[in-house]
Amino acid sequence: MNKKLYKLMNWPAIEGIIYSEEDNPHEILGAHVAGSSVLIQTFQPGAKSIRIQPEKGDKSYKMELADEEGFFAALVSGKTIFEYEYLIEYEDGSLKKVKDAYNFKPQITKEDTDKFNAGIHYNIYEKLGAHPMKLDGVDGVYFAVWAPNAVRVSTVGDFNGWDGRVHQMRRLWDSGIFEIFVPGAKIGDCYKFELKVKGGLTYLKADPYAFGQQLRPDTASVVREINGFDWEDQKWMKNRKKAQAANAPMSVYELHLGSFAKPEDGRIFYNYRELAPKIIDYVKKMNYTHIELMPVMEHPLDGSWGYQVIGYYAPTARYGTADDFMFFMNELHKAGIGVILDWVPAHFPRDSYGLANFDGTCLYEHMDPRKGCHPHWGTLIYNYGRPEVKNYLIANALYWIEQYHADGIRMDAVASMLYLDYGKNDGEWVANMYGGNENLEAVEFLKHLNSIVKKRDDGTLMIAEESTAWPKVTSDVEEDGLGFDIKWNMGFMNDYLSYIQNDPYFRSGSHNNLTFSMIYAYSEKFMLVFSHDEVVHGKATMLGKMPGERKDQFANLRLTFGYLMTHPGKKLLFMGQDIGEYDEWNEERAVEWNLLEYDEHKKLNQLMADLNKLYVTTPAMYQRDDSWEGFEWINCITPQACMLSYLRKAEKPEETLVVVANFANAKQDFTVGVPFEGKYKEILNTDAEVYGGSDMVNSEVKHAIDKEWDGKPYAIEMESAPLSMSIFSYTPYTKEEKAEIERAKAEAIRKAKEEEEKRAAEEAARITALEAEAAKEAAQRAIEEANAKAKAANEAAEKLKKIKAGKTTAVQTNTKKASTTKTSTAKTSTKSKTVKKKV
């Protein structure tokens, strides 16, 4: 070897490269000015000879073999570094031209790494990962990865025979980031990162920031370009904030792309491009406003449904490429359909090629298993206190929002993030610094994420699957809330299903389960959900949960859909339930679309379509969803009747709806209090024949009765079919109708008055006649009494006469006797006086 060349070479560093333990190979490899010459060094394992071929001129330079492992060097006169490529001859005689990967400057700046290490580089996915680009006129791919504790990191892939010695990466100062530009690497190439850690262990890892992954069971990352798609959804994006406002309707169709439909040509999955029109047709037909996709991020196990993610930045290869998924999103938006993506920042699987023990240390997870793993799920928990981990997740959410135009992010398992003891027994968790069970780092992460989404992408929805009573989930971060827009209402789902699964005969005893949701309905901004979690693992489908015989099951489910759509809150229903599947969902089969060939399933499906249409076109059903001003009980305290009645109210009184639900399996007649005078028309009845019911409907318009009922000034009387719901619209009387009603009332009053006067006159005449008859009878009685008295008087007179006649004779006789007696008495008295004188 040339002595000058020998002296210019850094042999300890060269040894580090040969043994793959050098973390700054760019300092040695490539072209470097050395005095008056240019020193060019390369490591090409397996090469027999190498010549340097300058881009300009015909002259080439043979390189000297400095180490038999394949390290070559050459000294070229001149102080100017020139463009060149290597012409490599291998032992088998094959030739290959290769651009030098070590002549390119880092594309990551110190500012980038400082922001990343602080956890605030929200576009870090534009720096880390694999990025096709042209540098200095050379096409290739720029690779970068964060692995601070690795001894050495290499990029391996289709472009270098998966040899970790060929493209050893450069550590950027103290950032923990390794990078390299690989000329000749291209879109579609598979690659991984080879890490050598302390102790000498060497292994492969998939790229955490890869935009593409191989289809399982293969595990390599794939170079993808995401910047070339021609979006055509500008109209949707412009109007999205208004369309997704709190006072806008939102009815979500949750689906799993792999089992929405299955190809009939032997393939396992449809492509994103094939799925788009199928989903659009159905969603538009059913009048849903949004779809929610179960996780589309790459995951190794079909049976995890996407909830154990490996490739957070890669749309799953099951259905195509990143470009294919952009097409899917674009088509949905052009059709006026919003797309919410399910996202899993709570945990990740232990697969050896994923994030677990990434650089030989617990980089993304906690070292302490009491903090770093879910014992029940067997997965690992993110270390939310590490800025780079937090940055990884925040940037990922923004990536789906900004690069794929996602309209919302539904965050899975938020409760498991908030509580340190979630799913753990005593001794399996560590308290926070204050001795509590709150995960303070996760709380800060959620607030940070939600606040930055609001700042950068206002109008995008952040939705929490949070199943506890953690306060202020949907309150603003400035008010010490978590900052979500919507929270899944798991309480409503659990309470309602507990109620409806009872036989109607016993429902009165659990009436509180039916109404309790309104106690807390406005404590958060809720979405009512009957999701995939409720139709798996032996829980039965929505139809299968319903009690009774088949017709009763369908009636109960129709009633359930009615209650879902008229209860305050946004709506979500999992695929297959709106056609009445009996079989639990299984990711290996498609939705049982053939059920729509049967009348009862087809009619149930029609009901859901009509309920959605009514919902999105009727302001009372959504306009005041998060305020008591939008809802009012009419009657919720009649458990023995298993009935409810309530109002849904909009800004205009004439848009008010009256809802009456009969949860009893018996026909009932109800008098229902209503707030306004006017007409009430039944606009939907779940028992209608068109929906598979008995057609016991209220076909005639109900005019409000002027009487107080249920605390309301008016009432309507209606008939309620068993297990049914009736929805009435309200229409005020027009001026003409009101005038006619007033005229009719006046006429009725006049007629009533005339009738009353006539009745009074007739009553008076009757009384007069009765009085005359009574007078006549009294006169007759008087005459009879007078005659009787006269007769009695005559008889008395006659008797008196006779008596008098008898008395005259007696008097004469007595007179004579009296005279004789008197004479005798006088003589006796004279004699008595004579005696007294003598004495």
Side-chain angles (χ1 to χ4, degrees):
M1 174 175 285
N2 183 292
K3 290 184 179 181
K4 184 179 179 181
L5 175 61
Y6 182 87
K7 289 180 179 180
L8 289 173
M9 296 173 68
N10 185 339
W11 292 101
I14 291 172
E15 185 176 354
I17 291 172
I18 293 171
Y19 286 96
S20 301
E21 292 180 349
E22 176 60 47
D23 65 356
N24 191 12
H26 290 67
E27 190 175 45
I28 305 298
L29 300 177
H32 301 271
V33 175
S36 60
S37 303
V38 175
L39 175 62
I40 301 175
Q41 302 176 88
T42 186
F43 184 40
Q44 300 291 341
K48 179 180 178 182
S49 67
I50 301 178
R51 296 192 68 85
I52 298 171
Q53 182 68 55
E55 290 289 327
K56 297 179 180 180
D58 297 329
K59 189 175 182 179
S60 64
Y61 305 94
K62 183 176 181 180
M63 301 188 76
E64 295 191 44
L65 179 64
D67 189 283
E68 60 184 10
E69 291 296 323
F71 195 94
F72 289 79
L75 197 62
V76 181
S77 61
K79 297 182 179 181
T80 303
I81 296 176
F82 53 90
E83 295 182 8
Y84 62 90
E85 60 185 4
Y86 297 122
L87 180 60
I88 305 173
E89 180 185 7
Y90 293 96
E91 293 291 343
D92 61 2
S94 61
L95 298 175
K96 182 179 181 182
K97 284 187 177 182
V98 176
K99 291 283 186 179
D100 197 330
Y102 294 93
N103 286 335
F104 301 93
K105 295 179 180 180
Q107 300 304 298
I108 297 174
T109 67
K110 187 66 166 64
E111 181 184 1
D112 288 326
T113 60
D114 287 346
K115 290 170 65 177
F116 175 61
N117 294 141
I120 56 172
H121 199 314
Y122 303 120
N123 295 84
I124 190 62
Y125 56 84
E126 294 178 350
K127 302 296 181 178
L128 300 183
H131 302 278
M133 61 178 64
K134 179 177 286 189
L135 292 182
D136 300 333
V138 178
D139 290 321
V141 177
Y142 185 77
F143 296 94
V145 64
W146 179 58
N149 300 298
V151 172
R152 183 266 306 169
V153 181
S154 298
T155 301
V156 297
D158 296 338
F159 41 81
N160 63 12
W162 294 84
D163 190 335
R165 298 170 296 173
V166 177
H167 290 116
Q168 299 179 48
M169 304 173 77
R170 165 173 50 196
R171 186 192 298 269
L172 295 180
W173 36 95
D174 59 351
S175 67
I177 293 174
F178 289 79
E179 61 82 42
I180 192 172
F181 176 73
V182 178
K186 60 187 182 300
I187 295 171
D189 281 348
C190 293
Y191 71 98
K192 282 186 178 181
F193 294 116
E194 182 182 277
L195 289 82
K196 189 171 188 177
V197 300
K198 295 175 182 178
L201 181 65
T202 303
Y203 51 80
L204 299 178
K205 287 285 188 180
D207 181 3
Y209 288 87
F211 296 152
Q213 295 276 125
Q214 283 186 303
L215 177 63
R216 51 78 178 126
D218 294 324
T219 60
S221 302
V222 181
V223 177
R224 298 292 184 201
E225 175 60 77
I226 65 169
N227 294 321
F229 188 79
D230 185 16
W231 290 94
E232 301 172 328
D233 63 347
Q234 292 80 11
K235 181 180 178 181
W236 169 266
M237 297 299 287
K238 180 180 178 180
N239 298 325
R240 182 174 70 179
K241 184 176 180 181
K242 181 179 179 181
Q244 299 191 156
N247 63 349
M250 178 175 290
S251 181
V252 182
Y253 183 69
E254 185 192 19
L255 64 96
H256 178 261
L257 284 173
S259 55
F260 175 80
K262 291 286 189 181
E264 297 179 357
D265 57 6
R267 291 179 296 158
I268 301 176
F269 304 113
Y270 278 116
N271 184 275
Y272 292 113
R273 294 174 183 265
E274 296 173 295
L275 285 166
K278 297 178 184 296
I279 292 171
I280 288 170
D281 288 347
Y282 185 72
V283 170
K284 296 296 285 186
K285 167 195 164 188
M286 294 299 293
N287 301 304
Y288 291 103
T289 64
H290 290 68
I291 64 170
E292 180 179 311
L293 299 180
M294 293 170 69
V296 296
M297 302 80 190
E298 193 58 78
H299 50 281
L301 179 64
D302 290 1
S304 75
W305 313 330
Y307 291 98
Q308 295 192 9
V309 180
I310 288 291
Y312 273 80
Y313 286 81
T316 177
R318 290 168 175 81
Y319 321 120
T321 66
D323 198 65
D324 293 332
F325 187 55
M326 288 181 182
F327 175 91
F328 177 92
M329 298 291 288
N330 190 55
E331 292 300 304
L332 269 288
H333 284 172
K334 285 164 59 179
I337 300 168
V339 183
I340 298 167
L341 300 183
D342 219 334
W343 186 56
V344 191
H347 60 116
F348 59 93
R350 298 173 181 266
D351 298 66
S352 61
Y353 69 95
L355 298 178
N357 201 39
F358 190 79
D359 64 353
T361 68
C362 295
L363 187 63
Y364 286 87
E365 68 273 30
H366 289 275
M367 181 180 294
D368 188 338
R370 294 174 299 171
K371 292 182 177 181
C373 69
H374 280 294
H376 293 170
W377 298 343
T379 53
L380 301 174
I381 302 171
Y382 283 103
N383 183 349
Y384 304 108
R386 184 165 287 160
E388 297 88 349
V389 174
K390 186 165 59 175
N391 201 153
Y392 173 73
L393 293 170
I394 292 175
N396 185 242
L398 294 172
Y399 165 79
W400 293 106
I401 294 168
E402 295 174 2
Q403 298 301 320
Y404 291 89
H405 295 195
D407 303 300
I409 297 292
R410 179 265 188 186
M411 201 176 300
D412 181 64
V414 172
S416 74
M417 300 169 65
L418 293 173
Y419 296 96
L420 294 166
D421 60 347
Y422 185 89
K424 298 180 181 181
N425 301 315
D426 290 345
E428 293 180 344
W429 62 283
V430 180
N432 62 35
M433 60 190 295
Y434 301 109
N437 66 343
E438 301 88 358
N439 190 334
L440 303 179
E441 295 168 343
V443 171
E444 180 56 33
F445 160 73
L446 294 173
K447 290 181 177 181
H448 187 170
L449 169 61
N450 289 328
S451 62
I452 203 65
V453 169
K454 288 291 177 294
K455 182 178 180 180
R456 290 171 60 110
D457 301 288
D458 192 21
T460 302
L461 295 174
M462 300 300 289
I463 304 170
E465 185 213 13
E466 204 287 308
S467 55
T468 74
W470 187 282
K472 296 186 176 182
V473 173
T474 55
S475 294
D476 292 339
V477 172
E478 293 77 12
E479 299 173 357
D480 198 31
L482 295 182
F484 286 96
D485 297 289
I486 298 172
K487 172 181 173 175
W488 273 25
N489 194 336
M490 312 296 281
F492 166 85
M493 177 269 297
N494 286 319
D495 288 344
Y496 181 81
L497 292 180
S498 175
Y499 176 86
I500 200 68
Q501 289 181 84
N502 286 329
D503 187 284
Y505 186 80
F506 301 104
R507 283 176 180 167
S508 61
S510 56
H511 192 72
N512 185 60
N513 285 342
L514 191 60
T515 60
F516 183 68
S517 58
M518 287 309 302
I519 299 295
Y520 59 87
Y522 304 112
S523 62
E524 301 280 5
K525 298 170 185 175
F526 283 117
M527 176 180 284
L528 312 181
V529 296
F530 291 128
S531 72
H532 66 276
D533 282 327
E534 309 318 311
V535 295
V536 291
H537 302 322
K539 296 178 183 177
T541 63
M542 289 297 293
L543 182 60
K545 297 179 195 292
M546 301 298 119
E549 298 179 356
R550 189 178 181 89
K551 68 179 183 62
D552 293 335
Q553 287 184 302
F554 275 90
N556 273 297
L557 187 55
R558 293 193 299 268
L559 174 56
T560 294
F561 288 161
Y563 193 54
L564 169 72
M565 299 305 293
T566 57
H567 189 289
K570 310 303 183 188
K571 327 294 180 186
L572 180 142
L573 186 65
F574 183 58
M575 67 179 191
Q577 307 317 298
D578 56 6
I579 65 173
E581 284 189 336
Y582 268 112
D583 293 335
E584 286 188 350
W585 173 59
N586 183 330
E587 76 280 356
E588 295 181 355
R589 68 161 177 84
V591 172
E592 297 176 299
W593 298 113
N594 61 299
L595 291 176
L596 292 175
E597 298 173 7
Y598 300 93
D599 210 39
E600 54 193 351
H601 294 275
K602 182 178 180 180
K603 290 181 175 181
L604 174 69
N605 188 245
Q606 185 61 51
L607 170 66
M608 196 62 217
D610 288 354
L611 280 169
N612 273 325
K613 184 176 181 180
L614 180 65
Y615 170 67
V616 300
T617 58
T618 309
M621 295 180 73
Y622 62 80
Q623 198 173 70
R624 293 177 168 178
D625 245 1
D626 56 356
S627 168
W628 273 109
E629 295 178 352
F631 179 91
E632 183 180 346
W633 285 118
I634 297 174
N635 185 344
C636 64
I637 54 173
T638 313
Q640 68 277 10
C642 297
M643 70 85 68
L644 291 176
S645 56
Y646 46 92
L647 301 174
R648 291 306 312 271
K649 299 184 289 185
E651 294 175 357
K652 300 177 181 179
E654 60 268 25
E655 294 176 338
T656 299
L657 296 181
V658 176
V659 182
V660 182
N662 178 9
F663 290 88
N665 196 0
K667 172 186 172 298
Q668 300 190 76
D669 295 322
F670 295 128
T671 299
V672 181
V674 293
F676 309 116
E677 181 185 38
K679 298 174 289 184
Y680 292 84
K681 179 183 178 182
E682 187 177 75
I683 56 175
L684 189 142
N685 190 321
T686 61
D687 192 59
E689 191 276 334
V690 69
Y691 303 136
S694 64
D695 213 31
M696 191 182 296
V697 300
N698 297 275
S699 56
E700 295 183 358
V701 172
K702 304 294 181 182
H703 293 268
I705 304 168
D706 192 4
K707 71 174 180 179
E708 185 175 341
W709 200 268
D710 290 329
K712 301 292 183 290
Y714 304 96
I716 60 173
E717 294 177 344
M718 51 88 64
E719 182 180 63
S720 183
L723 304 171
S724 72
M725 173 176 285
S726 296
I727 303 175
F728 293 87
S729 65
Y730 162 65
T731 304
Y733 291 129
T734 63
K735 289 182 179 180
E736 293 75 15
E737 288 174 327
K738 187 69 175 175
E740 178 64 22
I741 290 170
E742 292 300 324
R743 187 200 65 76
K745 282 185 177 179
E747 180 67 15
I749 291 172
R750 184 188 66 77
K751 288 184 178 180
K753 184 177 180 181
E754 288 180 353
E755 287 296 321
E756 179 61 23
E757 290 175 348
K758 180 179 178 182
R759 188 196 65 76
E762 290 175 349
E763 182 65 13
R766 186 183 68 81
I767 292 173
T768 300
L770 290 174
E771 289 176 345
E773 183 65 25
K776 182 178 179 181
E777 291 177 356
Q780 183 64 36
R781 287 196 300 274
I783 293 171
E784 291 176 352
E785 288 176 356
N787 291 337
K789 287 180 179 180
K791 181 178 179 181
N794 291 335
E795 289 176 350
E798 186 65 31
K799 186 176 181 180
L800 182 59
K801 183 177 179 181
K802 290 179 179 180
I803 291 172
K804 285 183 178 181
K807 281 185 176 181
T808 302
T809 303
V811 169
Q812 291 178 348
T813 302
N814 289 338
T815 301
K816 291 180 178 181
K817 287 182 179 178
S819 176
T820 302
T821 303
K822 186 176 180 183
T823 302
S824 176
T825 303
K827 287 180 177 181
T828 303
S829 177
T830 302
K831 185 176 181 180
S832 181
K833 288 180 180 179
T834 302
V835 172
K836 287 180 180 179
K837 286 181 179 181
K838 286 180 178 181
V839 174

